[in-house]
Amino acid sequence: MKPQNPPKTYRVKSFGCQMNVYDGERMAELLGAKGIAPAPEGEEADLVVLNTCHIREKAAEKVYSDIGRLKKPDGSKPIIAVAGCVAQAEGEEIMARAPAVSMVVGPQAYHRLPEMLDKAVAGERATDTDMPAIAKFDSLPQRRKRSPTAFLTVQEGCDKFCTYCVVPYTRGAEISRPYSDLIDEARKLIEAGAREITLLGQNVNAWGGEDDAGRAIGLAGLIRALARLDGLERIRYTTSHPNDMEDDLIAAHGEVDKLMPYLHLPVQSGNDRVLKAMNRAHTAESYLRLLERFRDARPDIALSGDFIVGFPGETEAEFKDTLQLVDEVRYAQAFSFKYSPRPGTPAAMMDDQIDRQVMDDRLQRLQARLNRDQFAFNRASEGRTCTVLVERKGKRPGQWLGKSPWLQSVWFEADCQIGDMVEVELVEAGPNSIRGALNQPVTV
Ligand code: 5AD
Ligand code: SF4
C-alpha cells in the first residue's frame, strides 16, 4: 500500500445493534481526540470506518459492496477501516479480498485505532482482532456526546452459546465493566446533557460488580445507584437473558421511579423442543412465568422480545407454539427474523434447514400478529398523559418528536427544545407512533 495523506475528516458508519452504535460513538471520539473532524453532511470523508454487524445474513457481502462504493469527489478512495463483528469474524479474508482496506479492527481492539491509522498513513496495512476487553475502556478518551439520550455499555460478550448465534465468537466471553467506571461515565454523559441513559450489554442483566463499599451488586444495584444521580431522569437497559434475571431487578421495576416501564426479553421460540435445540436453557412456560412477575411488579410494563422463525427442523406445529406464546404475551414491540445460518455455529451444521419460502411465510404470519399487538398497545395508551423526553424536531415547523416511558414514538406541537421533559396527552395512536398534545406549559 502507498503512503497516504493524513485524514482531515472522518465518518463512522455503524450497522446493527445499539452496542455497535455505542462503539461507533467511541471510535468517533477517538478520532476527534486525534484532531480529525467529522465530515460535513453529504461529503465523503478522508477516513471511513465501516462498523459492521455479523448477526444475520449477507453481512460480509454488504461490507464488500460498501467498500466498492466508497469514493471521494476526486474519484480516489478514502482510507478505509473495517470494524465491528464482521471484522472480528472475517478479518483475514477482508484483508485478502479487499486491497482498498487499510485497517481491520475488532470490537475489543478499537482503542488502538489511532496507532493503526498512523501505520495506514505510512502505507502499512494493519489488523487487530485481539480480545482484551477491559483494556479498551481504560484507554478511550472522555465522553463528549451531547444528546438527551445516551448509551452506556456496561457488559459485553456472551457465554450462553445459543446454537444459532455468532455473538459468543465475535464479542467474546462475558465481562462486566467496573462500577466506579460506569458511574463516572454516566456523570460525564449527564454533564454533557443526557437525561436518559440506556445500559447496554449482550446479556446486560448478567452485569455484576462491587459498589464503593465493596458490596457485590447486580444490575439492579447499579440501576439504583444511577437513579441517585441528579440530572438523570430515565434509565433503560437492553438486552436481557431470561436465565440471568435476578429478583432484585424485577423488584426495581416497582421501586425505582427513574427505571422506565419497558423490558426487552428475547424468547426466540415458543416451542420447548426448538428452545432446547437452540440451547436457550429455558422453556416457554418459565419465560411466561418470568414475564408475569414483571407485570406484578409493574403492571403497565411494556414488553418486547426477539423471535427467530425457521430454525433448523422447526415444524409447522412448533411454529404455531410461537404464535400462541405471542397471543399470550401481547407484546408492545418485537423484533422477528428469519433464521440465518452463521458460519461456525452449531445450528449451521444441523440437518433439516428450512426452506426459504416456508420461512418467508412464517415470518409474515408472525409479524402480522406482532404488528397487531403493537398497534393495540398504542391504542390502549390513548387518553393517557405521560412525560415525553424531546429528542428531535419533527418534519413540520413547531413539531417535535420524543419517547414515552413505554418507548413509543410520540409527536406533538409545542414551543420547546431538545432535551425538555414535557407532559403530553397521547391523543391518537398509529401503528408506529402516537400523536400527542401538550398538556401543560413546558418546564425545563
Ligand atoms: N439468525 C436469525 N436471527 C438471529 N439472531 C441472532 N442470531 C441469529 C441468526 N443466526 C437474532 C436473535 C437475537 C437478535 C439480536 O438477533 O433473535 O435475539
Ligand atoms: Fe447470542 Fe444467545 Fe448470547 Fe443472545 S444469549 S448473544 S442470542 S448466544
Side-chain angles (χ1 to χ4, degrees), residues 33 38 41 115 149 166 170 199 289 295:
E41 202 54 48
E115 298 134 59
T149 61
V166 80
T170 57
L199 308 177
R289 276 204 309 270
R295 280 193 161 134

Side-chain angles (χ1 to χ4, degrees), residues 55-56 164-165 266 268 306-308 337-342:
I55 197 99
R56 281 173 295 274
Y164 51 81
C165 187
Q268 317 297 358
D306 287 346
F307 298 87
I308 295 176
F337 313 101
K338 285 184 271 191
Y339 167 72
S340 159
R342 304 285 71 213

Side-chain angles (χ1 to χ4, degrees), residues 319-345:
F319 167 67
K320 283 203 173 122
D321 286 343
T322 300
L323 295 181
Q324 202 197 319
L325 180 135
V326 167
D327 284 349
E328 266 177 66
V329 175
R330 302 275 163 170
Y331 289 93
Q333 231 188 46
F335 305 88
S336 48
F337 313 101
K338 285 184 271 191
Y339 167 72
S340 159
R342 304 285 71 213
T345 58

Side-chain angles (χ1 to χ4, degrees), residues 158-165 167-169 172-173 278-280 346:
C158 183
D159 299 336
K160 302 286 184 294
F161 290 93
C162 297
T163 53
Y164 51 81
C165 187
V167 165
Y169 311 95
M278 288 176 163
N279 192 31
R280 290 289 296 178

